[in-house]
C-alpha cells in the first residue's frame, strides 16, 4: 500500500461536480424510466443543454450527434417505405426486366436508381438494430464485462445504474477530499467519474494499492 496526502476539493470543483451529478442523474433517469419516443428524446436534449459548455460533455455530445443522424435516416426511410407499395415495387422490377431484355440502358438506369432508393430503406426499417430504442442509448452507461479476468486498464471498467446512484448521492455540501488532482479540461466523462469514486470525507492520508496507483498514473 502507498500513502498519498489528500487535499480538500475547491469550491469551483464542487460547483462543476454538482452539475456533473445532475447530468448523470438526468441521463440515467431518462433512459431507465421514460425514454420511449422522439418526444422524450427531445426533452432529454433540452435538459442537457446547461452542461454543453463543460469539456467532459464531449462524449455525450458526440453520441447524441450520431444518434441524431441515425434518427433522421430512420425518419426518411419510414417515409420512403410508407409511400412505396408492393404494386409499385412490382412495377419497377417488371420495368427493369423489360428494359434489360430490350437493351434499353437508360430505362435500366432509371429503374436501378429507384431500386437503390427504396431497397436500403426497407432493409434498415426492418433491421432491429435501426429502431428508436436501439439507436438511442445512454452515453454514460457502461456494462460490466462478464467472464473477464485480470486487471483492467480502464479507469472505469463499468458504470451501471447502481454505480451512477453512488456518484450522484455523494454529498458535495460536506467537505470532500482527494489524493487525485481534478482533471480540469478533460473530454472524457469517465475521468470525472473515477475522480468522484475516489473522494473521501476525511483528510486522512489515502491508502492506495498497486492497481489504484497504476490508474492514478494513467489519469
Amino acid at each position: 500500500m502507498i500513502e498519498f496526502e489528500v487535499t480538500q476539493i475547491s469550491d469551483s470543483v464542487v460547483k462543476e461536480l454538482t452539475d456533473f451529478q445532475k447530468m448523470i442523474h438526468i441521463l440515467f433517469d431518462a433512459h431507465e424510466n421514460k425514454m420511449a419516443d422522439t418526444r422524450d428524446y427531445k426533452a432529454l436534449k433540452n435538459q442537457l443543454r446547461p452542461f454543453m459548455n463543460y469539456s467532459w460533455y464531449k462524449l455525450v455530445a458526440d453520441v447524441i450527434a450520431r444518434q441524431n443522424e441515425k434518427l433522421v435516416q430512420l425518419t426518411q426511410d419510414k417515409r420512403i417505405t410508407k409511400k412505396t407499395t408492393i404494386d409499385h415495387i412490382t412495377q419497377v422490377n417488371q420495368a427493369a426486366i423489360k428494359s434489360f431484355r430490350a437493351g434499353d440502358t437508360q430505362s435500366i438506369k432509371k429503374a436501378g436508381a429507384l431500386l437503390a432508393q427504396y431497397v436500403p430503406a426497407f432493409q434498415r426499417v426492418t433491421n432491429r438494430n435501426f429502431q428508436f430504442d436501439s439507436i438511442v442509448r445512454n452515453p454514460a452507461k457502461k456494462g460490466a464485462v462478464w467472464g473477464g479476468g485480470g486487471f483492467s486498464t480502464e479507469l472505469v471498467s463499468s458504470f451501471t445504474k447502481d454505480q451512477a446512484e453512488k456518484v450522484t448521492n455523494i454529498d458535495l455540501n460536506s467537505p470532500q477530499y482527494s489524493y487525485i488532482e481534478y482533471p480540469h479540461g478533460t473530454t472524457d466523462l469517465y475521468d470525472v467519474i473515477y475522480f468522484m469514486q475516489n473522494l473521501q470525507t476525511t483528510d486522512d492520508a489515502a491508502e492506495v494499492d498497486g492497481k489504484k496507483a497504476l490508474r492514478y498514473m494513467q489519469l
Side-chain angles (χ1 to χ4, degrees):
M1 301 291 286
I2 307 170
E3 284 196 352
F4 284 89
E5 292 299 318
V6 301
T7 56
Q8 185 174 347
I9 62 175
S10 67
D11 290 343
S12 61
V13 171
V14 169
K15 168 63 171 64
E16 189 165 331
L17 293 182
T18 300
D19 283 345
F20 187 81
Q21 283 180 320
K22 291 176 183 176
M23 184 193 73
I24 293 297
H25 174 76
I26 288 169
L27 284 172
F28 276 84
D29 181 59
H31 285 276
E32 295 291 335
N33 302 313
K34 307 173 186 174
M35 193 63 60
D37 53 34
T38 53
R39 289 173 297 180
D40 293 333
Y41 184 54
K42 288 179 181 178
L44 170 63
K45 289 192 289 184
N46 286 332
Q47 286 182 289
L48 293 172
R49 288 185 183 279
F51 316 112
M52 293 175 66
N53 291 329
Y54 286 112
S55 60
W56 38 255
Y57 186 75
K58 184 180 184 302
L59 173 63
V60 178
D62 290 346
V63 170
I64 287 176
R66 290 195 297 270
Q67 291 175 167
N68 289 344
E69 289 178 2
K70 288 187 177 182
L71 288 174
V72 168
Q73 182 69 69
L74 180 61
T75 300
Q76 293 172 343
D77 288 344
K78 285 185 175 180
R79 286 174 183 166
I80 291 171
T81 57
K82 188 175 181 179
K83 70 179 183 181
T84 306
T85 64
I86 297 298
D87 289 341
H88 176 67
I89 296 172
T90 302
Q91 289 171 9
V92 173
N93 288 337
Q94 289 175 344
I97 293 171
K98 184 178 179 180
S99 299
F100 179 77
R101 288 174 177 169
D104 185 350
T105 55
Q106 292 302 316
S107 295
I108 292 173
K109 288 180 181 178
K110 290 180 181 178
L114 288 170
L115 289 168
Q117 180 185 36
Y118 69 71
V119 170
F122 270 89
Q123 289 175 333
R124 285 191 292 263
V125 168
T126 56
N127 184 349
R128 182 65 187 83
N129 294 326
F130 213 81
Q131 301 303 308
F132 175 81
D133 57 352
S134 295
I135 292 172
V136 178
R137 301 292 183 92
N138 183 347
K141 187 174 183 179
K142 185 189 287 190
V145 179
W146 294 103
F151 173 64
S152 171
T153 57
E154 294 181 283
L155 284 176
V156 179
S157 58
S158 67
F159 193 60
T160 61
K161 180 182 177 182
D162 290 342
Q163 291 166 313
E165 287 178 351
K166 289 179 181 179
V167 165
T168 56
N169 287 335
I170 293 173
D171 183 9
L172 293 172
N173 291 317
S174 299
Q176 297 288 336
Y177 301 85
S178 178
Y179 69 94
I180 303 169
E181 184 178 349
Y182 182 69
H184 291 284
T186 183
T187 57
D188 189 341
L189 61 83
Y190 294 110
D191 287 350
V192 183
I193 290 170
Y194 182 75
F195 179 83
M196 295 192 74
Q197 288 176 333
N198 285 276
L199 289 174
Q200 61 185 58
T201 56
T202 69
D203 59 0
D204 298 333
E207 292 189 346
V208 180
D209 61 19
K211 291 179 180 180
K212 277 194 173 183
L214 287 173
R215 286 198 174 97
Y216 170 76
M217 289 187 286
Q218 181 181 337
L219 179 63

